[in-house]
Amino acid sequence: MAESLSKPVQELIVTGGELPEKYIYKKGENAATDVSYPPIEVPVIDLSLLASQSTAGEEELGKLRSALGSCGCIQAINHGMTASFLDQVHEIGKQFFALPIDEKQKYSRTVGDIEGFHAADSLLSEHQTLDWTDRLFITIYPEDKINLRFWPENPENFREILNEYTRNLSLMKELLLKSMAKSLNIEEDCFLKQYGEGAMMVAGFNFYPPCPRPDLTLGVKPHTDAATITFLLQDKEVEGLQILQDGQWFRVPIVPQAILINVGDQTEIMSNGMFKSPMHRVVTNSERGRLTLAVFCHPDAKMEIGPVEELIDKKRPRLYKTMKDYVAIYLENDQLNKRPIDAVKI
Ligand SMILES: O=C(O)CCC(=O)C(=O)O
Ligand SMILES: [Fe+2]
C-alpha cells in the first residue's frame, strides 16, 4: 500500500465516544486498560558532577553506568537550564499546536518527507493501528541541514528559543557521550568518534490531545528509539510515558526541571549491549492534552557505526554488526512491524 497521510488527531470529531477504527487496539493487544501502573524510579544524575574530577564525580559515573545498563534512562538535573527557560521551550510547542489548523498546515509534511507537521503515523499498511498524537518534526542541528520552511514563525519567539535549547543540548550531548565512555573505562572519545561531520539532532514536538477512550488507544505504540541518545522534555503536569522492564509496564513519574535522557538503539549497538535501549510507549488520558519535546541525536549517516572494539572480548562477544545509516534500517523494519535492532544482531 502506498503511503497516505492521515488527518491530525486534533481535527478528529469524535461523536458519542466512538473512535475511528484505525486508532483502536483490538482486545488482547497492548491497549492501556489500566492507568494505575507502578512508577519506575529513574536514577537522577547530577550533570554538573559528571565533569568534575572528584570522588563525587566518580560516584556519579558509576550511577550513570548502572542506570543506562538497567532501565536505560536517567533524569538529568543541574543541566544548566533554568526552570523558566524550560517553561518557555514547552510553551512554544503548546502555542504552536493551539494555532488554527490552516496556520499549522503551512508547515505540513508531504508524502516522502520526514520533517514537518503531521499526524504521527502515515498509513503504510492497512493493518496498522494509528498513534493518538500530532507531531512537528524538524532538524535542529547542524545549521546547514536546517530547513526553515518547517520552522514555525508563530509563536514569534519559536526559532530563538529552540536555537537556544539546541545549543544547550549540544553541550549536554558531548558531556554525556564522554561520560558514558568514561563510565565503561574506555577512552572518552570512543562513542563521539563514530559521529562524524554530518551528525544531526532532530526535534519532535508531540501533542497528545485528550482522548475519550484511553482504554482503547495509545499515544505512541511500543518502540525503542533509533537515536544514540534522546533528550525528552516531559510535560510538567501530565504524565503518559511508560517503560517496559522485565515484561511489565511502569509509568515514568515527572521530575520537575529534569530532562529525561534515554539510550537509543545506536548506543546499545556502539556499547555492544552494555547500555540498553528501553522499550517505551505513551498512554492517553481523557482529560488533559499533553505536550512533550523529544530531541534525537544521530551520527552522520555516512559513518560506520558498530560495537567499540574495547567492549568486545571472549566473555562478551560482539553482539551487533557494523553498519552505515542505521536510521534507514530502523525505518524499514519498523514499517514491517519488526524490532529494528534485531536486524543488525549477529
Ligand atoms: O512523549 C513522550 O513521552 C515520549 C515520546 C517518544 O517516545 C518519542 O517521541 O519517541
Ligand atoms: Fe521514543
Side-chain angles (χ1 to χ4, degrees):
M1 180 174 159
E3 182 183 24
S4 65
L5 298 180
S6 38
K7 199 171 175 172
V9 176
Q10 274 181 294
E11 299 303 306
L12 295 176
I13 299 162
V14 177
T15 44
E18 289 271 328
L19 303 186
E21 188 71 13
K22 56 191 179 185
Y23 290 92
I24 299 179
Y25 280 88
K26 305 289 177 306
K27 271 203 171 68
E29 277 183 88
N30 41 7
T33 48
D34 184 2
V35 285
S36 57
Y37 291 89
I40 187 168
E41 254 185 65
V42 176
V44 175
I45 301 284
D46 182 337
L47 293 194
S48 70
L49 287 178
L50 285 181
S52 87
Q53 305 288 347
S54 59
T55 320
E58 287 296 318
E59 274 172 24
E60 215 63 7
L61 284 176
K63 260 168 77 182
L64 178 72
R65 172 180 175 154
S66 117
L68 300 186
S70 51
C71 69
C73 54
I74 59 167
Q75 293 280 10
I77 57 162
N78 284 336
H79 40 58
M81 289 180 275
T82 62
S84 66
F85 177 68
L86 292 181
D87 285 347
Q88 279 183 299
V89 177
H90 189 248
E91 203 50 38
I92 56 168
K94 247 176 125 164
Q95 285 173 9
F96 173 75
F97 284 99
L99 294 173
I101 185 68
D102 296 356
E103 183 65 23
K104 284 183 292 214
Q105 278 174 340
K106 285 187 190 161
Y107 308 97
S108 276
R109 178 164 93 83
T110 45
V111 171
D113 270 331
I114 290 180
E115 292 184 80
F117 166 69
H118 61 105
D121 298 289
S122 43
L123 262 186
L124 287 154
S125 107
E126 285 162 47
H127 309 292
Q128 200 177 16
T129 307
L130 296 182
D131 290 342
W132 191 268
T133 182
D134 292 333
R135 263 195 169 173
L136 173 67
F137 214 63
I138 38 186
T139 300
I140 53 174
Y141 183 90
E143 234 164 272
D144 62 356
K145 293 226 172 76
I146 285 178
N147 188 348
L148 283 179
R149 137 154 178 46
F150 296 112
W151 283 56
E153 286 171 293
N154 191 354
E156 233 178 4
N157 58 351
F158 186 98
R159 296 178 174 187
E160 180 195 330
I161 299 287
L162 189 55
N163 276 327
E164 179 67 26
Y165 189 58
T166 305
R167 275 192 288 278
N168 280 288
L169 293 195
S170 297
L171 296 174
M172 272 166 78
K173 177 189 86 177
E174 197 167 320
L175 170 66
L176 264 150
L177 287 166
K178 285 185 176 172
S179 303
M180 281 155 55
K182 268 172 39 189
S183 81
L184 295 171
N185 299 315
I186 56 177
E187 198 215 316
E188 69 170 13
D189 282 342
C190 271
F191 296 135
L192 272 170
K193 262 198 287 202
Q194 300 201 21
Y195 259 71
E197 302 267 304
M200 269 172 69
M201 288 164 94
V202 182
F205 287 87
N206 303 299
F207 180 67
Y208 307 94
C211 175
R213 294 296 305 270
D215 56 328
L216 299 179
T217 49
L218 282 174
V220 182
K221 58 178 73 62
H223 68 284
T224 56
D225 292 342
T228 49
I229 49 176
T230 304
F231 294 100
L232 183 73
L233 183 63
Q234 286 228 65
D235 194 295
K236 225 169 66 170
E237 290 165 358
V238 189
E239 268 187 24
L241 178 64
Q242 298 193 335
I243 287 188
L244 187 70
Q245 259 213 318
D246 303 323
Q248 197 188 344
W249 288 106
F250 291 86
R251 64 186 171 83
V252 179
I254 297 161
V255 176
Q257 297 170 40
I259 307 276
L260 183 84
I261 302 174
N262 70 270
V263 168
D265 289 357
Q266 294 186 81
T267 290
E268 182 165 323
I269 294 166
M270 295 194 290
S271 69
N272 200 29
M274 296 290 285
F275 295 142
K276 305 275 186 283
S277 174
M279 182 67 75
H280 55 284
R281 69 178 186 181
V282 176
V283 297
T284 60
N285 80 82
S286 58
E287 267 139 49
R288 302 182 68 185
R290 175 170 183 265
L291 187 285
T292 64
L293 170 56
V295 171
F296 307 100
C297 303
H298 294 292
D300 190 331
K302 292 194 281 304
M303 292 288 287
E304 290 226 306
I305 69 144
V308 169
E309 286 299 328
E310 289 88 330
L311 298 174
I312 304 171
D313 58 29
K314 275 215 182 81
K315 272 199 263 153
R316 194 171 185 82
R318 171 191 272 273
L319 296 175
Y320 301 103
K321 296 176 196 159
T322 295
M323 79 229 58
K324 284 184 186 167
D325 200 0
Y326 178 72
V327 178
I329 299 173
Y330 181 98
L331 292 174
E332 202 183 301
N333 283 276
D334 191 47
Q335 282 160 13
L336 298 169
N337 276 334
K338 289 190 189 155
R339 190 164 176 208
I341 201 167
D342 288 345
V344 297
K345 276 194 177 139
I346 286 182

